[in-house]
Structures are given as C-alpha cells and as structure tokens.
Amino acid sequence: MKAKKHDTRWMVSVALMAAIIIVLANTPLGMIQLPVIKATTVHIPVIIGAILLGPSAGAILGGVFGICSLISNTMAPTLLSFAFSPFMSTTGIPGALKAIWISVGCRILIGLVSGWLWLLLKKLKVNQIIALPIIGFIGSMVNTITVMGSIYLLFARQYAEAQNVGVTAVWGLIMGTITASGIPEAIAAAVLVLALGKVLVGVFRKMNIGIAGSAMSV
C-alpha cells in the first residue's frame, strides 16, 4: 500500500512538471530576454524533474518538451522547422526520422543525463549548492550540443540552404549558436536550478517522493 501511494505521488509529480513544461513551451514565459538573444527556459523543469524524480521521469519530461517542440515547429514553421518536425521534412521518411530524433530524442537525453548526474554527485556526496548548478549547466548544454550537433551531422546541407550559405560555413554557424545562445542559456539554467532545486529537494525529501529524498550533504 505504501509503495502504491508512493507511485501515485510520483506520477502526479511528473504530470505537474509536464504541465509546467507545456505552459512554458506555449507562452512567453518559456523565453528569457538576454542582451543579445533569447534563452529558453523550457528545459529547466526537465532538469529539475530529473533531479527530484529520477532519470526515468527526466526522460518522460524531456519527451514532453520534445513533443511540444515538434508541434510548435509543425503549427508555426520557421526556416529550420525541417530539422524539428517530421511533417516539414524535405527528404522523406529518413528526414522525418532525423527530425524526430532532434526534436524528441535529444530532449529525452536532457532528463536522462541530468538524473544520472544527480545520482552520481549524490553518491560522491557533493554539496547541493555545488551539484545543482553543475547539473543545470550540463543539462542545458546537453540540449544545445545534441540538437545543434545533430543538425550539423544530419542536416548540414539543408541548414546551409536555409541560411543561404555554403556547406563549409555550417560548422562555424553551429559553433556560433552554441557559444552565443547555448552558454548564456546554460548559465541561466545553473542559476535557476540552484534557486528552485534547493527548495524543492527539501520539499520532496519531506514528502518522500522520488530520488530527492536520499541523503546528500548540505
């Protein structure tokens, strides 16, 4: 009976996190205006959910993030939507499968990596104040690097055509995006995951929900 109650609370917690992701993905709340670019915050609940509820929950939440991205790029396409929506593919079924990987698969990795990293740092007894921003930063960079890296490996020619540049210039554009957008997003994620995670880990520990309840130095 106790295990069933725990499972129910876990599922409710995952559902609440998923709802937050959907809200962020469909409102301006999902973006932070920085001096030069806008940084997304949609991956923050994925990272926090993985910390609080485990890698499996992180994978589910990452999948929700990815599906939101897929739908957004299908309903309101941009020049690069071919890389995120299978319905916008210009190369048939192979392109559609690649788009699903980028929009959904790469986002699932955010949750898996964040959850596994939390377990590792907890096992190593790393202080929460150090562990939380590290996971926030790395989780965010997983999003940027896997998405942009996959675009480079799978859609270099189409990306070059969309940007009206030569294929040889794609690497520079990809690295420019990772530097100009990915790093500020990762810094913002580190700050937010520390601020929110420090509070939520304590709450989930008291409620005995997920993996956050295990001991960790504070």
Side-chain angles (χ1 to χ4, degrees):
M1 185 70 181
K2 183 178 180 180
K4 183 177 180 181
K5 183 178 180 181
H6 177 79
D7 290 343
T8 300
R9 289 185 297 177
W10 183 88
M11 289 187 289
V12 170
S13 298
V14 172
L16 288 173
M17 288 287 185
I20 292 172
I21 290 170
I22 293 170
V23 170
L24 289 176
N26 291 280
T27 67
L29 294 174
M31 305 296 289
I32 295 177
Q33 183 63 59
L34 298 175
V36 180
I37 52 90
K38 288 184 177 180
T40 181
T41 61
V42 183
H43 57 296
I44 303 299
V46 178
I47 297 170
I48 292 177
I51 291 171
L52 299 175
L53 302 166
S56 58
I60 293 171
L61 295 172
V64 173
F65 174 17
I67 291 171
C68 288
S69 175
L70 189 155
I71 293 173
S72 174
N73 279 279
T74 301
M75 302 301 294
T78 66
L79 285 176
L80 299 181
S81 288
F82 63 84
F84 296 92
S85 170
F87 304 103
M88 304 300 294
S89 171
T90 59
T91 55
I93 293 178
L97 294 176
K98 293 174 184 177
I100 292 173
W101 160 252
I102 292 174
S103 61
V104 180
C106 291
R107 274 52 187 272
I108 289 175
L109 287 179
I110 301 171
L112 289 175
V113 171
S114 298
W116 288 333
L117 185 56
W118 171 258
L119 291 174
L120 174 62
L121 295 178
K122 186 164 60 174
K123 185 176 181 179
L124 295 174
K125 301 186 184 302
V126 177
N127 191 295
Q128 282 185 18
I129 295 177
I130 297 174
L132 289 170
I134 287 176
I135 296 171
F137 187 91
I138 292 177
S140 180
M141 290 304 293
V142 166
N143 177 47
T144 303
I145 292 173
T146 57
V147 168
M148 297 308 298
S150 294
I151 289 175
Y152 176 72
L153 292 173
L154 304 176
F155 289 110
R157 182 176 61 81
Q158 293 89 338
Y159 186 85
E161 291 174 355
Q163 298 289 349
N164 196 27
V165 298
V167 175
T168 55
V170 171
W171 174 252
L173 292 175
I174 293 293
M175 291 305 297
T177 299
I178 291 174
T179 302
S181 178
I183 293 178
E185 284 183 3
I187 293 173
V191 174
L192 290 171
V193 170
L194 173 60
L196 297 173
K198 183 67 176 175
V199 175
L200 291 174
V201 165
V203 172
F204 275 60
R205 179 179 297 163
K206 290 179 180 179
M207 296 177 67
N208 192 30
I209 301 175
I211 64 173
S214 300
M216 188 177 195
S217 63
V218 295

